[in-house]
Amino acid sequence: MSKTLSRMLDKSEKEIAASVSKLEALCGFPSEDVRLMAEEKRKLRTKIEQLGLDSDDTTDEELYHSLRARFERDSQMLDKALGVDDGTKLDDRLNKAIQLVNHAAATDEVWVVKNSFAKSALIKNPPKHIAKLLHYRSVASMIKRQDTAEIYLAGSVIESATWQKNISKHLAKLNASQYELRPIKIVNLRPNRRAGLDGPSSHTVVNRQIGAVAVWPSKELSSASVLCLTLLLLEGMRSLNPEGYTEALDELSPALRWWVDTGHLISDGEQPVSLNLKDVALNHLKGHNLTHAVRHHGARSLWDELANRYQKISVALSDKVPDIQVSFDQDEQVKLPTSTELAEEYATSE
């Protein structure tokens, strides 16, 4: 079972086996990993058949392209319902995506720097590149007129590493009274202001100290569907407050109900395929073939599901297992929790 799970998660079989063995021992050996894999296999067969494929004779390649086709169809249906067509500008698409996120996602308030102190930090560490880009004669004038969250988010891409380090140090020195609880803010970084500027490969920028998230308006996103932009924003929000975050995508459109229970479904073939909507969206956006397809959202959800099941068992046994969360993104080398460090959290970005 560890071999199958390690292939689906794209992690070392030795590490997976050690982690699962530790969880099994703590919970009285309930074989929860075997039970979960059996359930996943049944669900996967059902989803494959709903795609019009033969559950006994479907290749990894066929499943992968069928999922992309399903995503394209569903995202086009949502665009049509929103009045979006080929002529709709990215700025308008982003505004509609923000509206959908506000409707579909719920998150607890987060501790962030008060706006007045965030502005003071900018005055002491002037973001000169942003001021030049926005055609301000002085940084003070820009800080007075521009949205503070927008400056910080843009600064994480445009300003130098030295500036980013200095501004982080300044904010880190603030005391607790200079912070407040505030909802996460979603910002539309106007495309006409960022023309030609490359952003992060994840297409999203977040700032934990300000509690803000935005999609970076790159050329690659110029014709992206509203659903794709919505999913990028949702993932950014989740990264800011994973413990206090929930989403209900099925409320946005009947077309999305098919994806509701696919969050941690991954096929167990030679080339595992993730049915997680965010993975499918990224693969569609970037035009990945099966060999280069991402599945880190599905892998994270699958591991979380397994860990949560053991957590529930441990609570029932009045013998708590440490809360385990693992992220399976790609840019950093990550390791699954060892037998002595089951509570460690891993976070990377695609």
Side-chain angles (χ1 to χ4, degrees):
M1 187 55 62
S2 294
K3 184 177 181 179
T4 300
L5 190 56
S6 66
R7 185 173 65 252
M8 295 166 71
L9 300 179
D10 194 24
K11 298 298 166 188
S12 162
E13 182 180 353
K14 182 179 179 180
E15 292 172 331
I16 290 289
S19 298
V20 172
S21 294
K22 181 66 174 180
L23 290 169
E24 281 283 308
L26 288 169
C27 295
F29 301 97
S31 298
E32 197 61 32
D33 59 328
V34 177
R35 185 175 292 106
L36 175 60
M37 290 298 97
E39 292 177 12
E40 295 297 287
K41 191 170 185 177
R42 288 195 297 271
K43 289 181 181 178
L44 181 64
R45 289 179 63 88
T46 299
K47 289 297 181 183
I48 289 175
E49 292 170 358
Q50 290 173 352
L51 288 170
L53 302 173
D54 185 346
S55 58
D56 294 316
D57 189 29
T58 295
T59 65
D60 300 329
E61 192 82 28
E62 289 172 337
L63 174 59
Y64 178 72
H65 287 290
S66 292
L67 288 168
R68 285 186 53 179
R70 174 87 190 206
F71 173 81
E72 184 172 5
R73 187 196 74 179
D74 292 347
S75 59
Q76 286 177 349
M77 289 178 63
L78 183 58
D79 277 352
K80 185 176 180 180
L82 295 170
V84 172
D85 55 30
D86 293 340
T88 305
K89 296 180 179 180
L90 178 56
D91 187 30
D92 295 327
R93 293 170 186 259
L94 285 169
N95 283 331
K96 291 182 181 295
I98 291 172
Q99 292 175 6
L100 292 183
V101 169
N102 287 330
H103 180 74
T107 181
D108 296 340
E109 292 184 333
V110 292
W111 282 103
V112 297
V113 177
K114 291 181 178 179
N115 200 48
S116 58
F117 294 102
K119 286 188 174 182
S120 296
L122 292 174
I123 293 173
K124 293 180 180 179
N125 301 274
K128 297 178 181 179
H129 290 92
I130 299 176
K132 182 178 180 181
L133 178 68
L134 299 180
H135 307 293
Y136 280 96
R137 292 184 178 181
S138 70
V139 173
S141 178
M142 178 188 69
I143 294 173
K144 181 179 179 180
R145 291 173 173 79
Q146 288 296 134
D147 180 76
T148 305
E150 182 178 353
I151 296 174
Y152 273 90
L153 290 170
S156 66
V157 176
I158 298 172
E159 296 296 335
S160 66
T162 300
W163 180 88
Q164 295 179 45
K165 183 178 180 181
N166 290 338
I167 201 80
S168 294
K169 281 185 176 181
H170 182 98
L171 295 178
K173 293 178 181 178
L174 298 179
N175 58 50
S177 66
Q178 294 165 321
Y179 280 75
E180 65 181 350
L181 274 174
R182 203 164 63 216
I184 292 174
K185 183 172 184 178
I186 308 173
V187 179
N188 183 348
L189 296 175
R190 306 295 177 183
N192 61 325
R193 297 177 178 175
R194 327 285 168 201
L197 295 175
D198 293 329
S201 60
S202 64
H203 300 292
T204 56
V205 285
V206 298
N207 187 291
R208 297 182 183 279
Q209 293 159 313
I210 302 300
V213 59
V215 166
W216 189 265
S218 63
K219 292 182 179 179
E220 189 177 1
L221 296 178
S222 59
S223 58
S225 67
V226 174
L227 176 57
C228 184
L229 297 173
T230 301
L231 293 171
L232 291 173
L233 286 172
L234 287 172
E235 185 59 18
M237 286 189 68
R238 190 207 66 82
S239 69
L240 284 173
N241 188 19
E243 293 300 319
Y245 172 82
T246 57
E247 64 183 38
L249 285 172
D250 57 308
E251 294 183 3
L252 300 181
S253 169
L256 301 183
R257 291 173 185 166
W258 188 84
W259 301 93
V260 170
D261 57 350
T262 64
H264 47 76
L265 276 184
I266 302 176
S267 69
D268 60 353
E270 289 301 317
Q271 287 279 352
V273 179
S274 171
L275 280 71
N276 184 289
L277 181 57
K278 292 176 182 176
D279 285 331
V280 178
L282 278 175
N283 289 325
H284 184 272
L285 174 66
K286 294 181 177 295
H288 287 156
N289 57 33
L290 178 58
T291 303
H292 298 97
V294 301
R295 60 176 184 273
H296 50 274
H297 293 105
R300 181 185 66 212
S301 296
L302 179 58
W303 182 258
D304 284 348
E305 175 65 18
L306 181 60
N308 288 337
R309 290 187 176 209
Y310 282 110
Q311 186 80 24
K312 291 178 181 178
I313 293 173
S314 71
V315 170
L317 296 174
S318 300
D319 183 18
K320 277 196 172 182
V321 178
D323 186 20
I324 304 169
Q325 293 184 357
V326 181
S327 290
F328 290 94
D329 298 325
Q330 296 179 327
D331 286 352
E332 297 178 9
Q333 294 295 323
V334 295
K335 295 176 66 178
L336 286 171
T338 66
S339 59
T340 58
E341 297 177 326
L342 283 173
E344 184 174 2
E345 179 178 350
Y346 305 84
T348 58
S349 58
E350 191 270 333

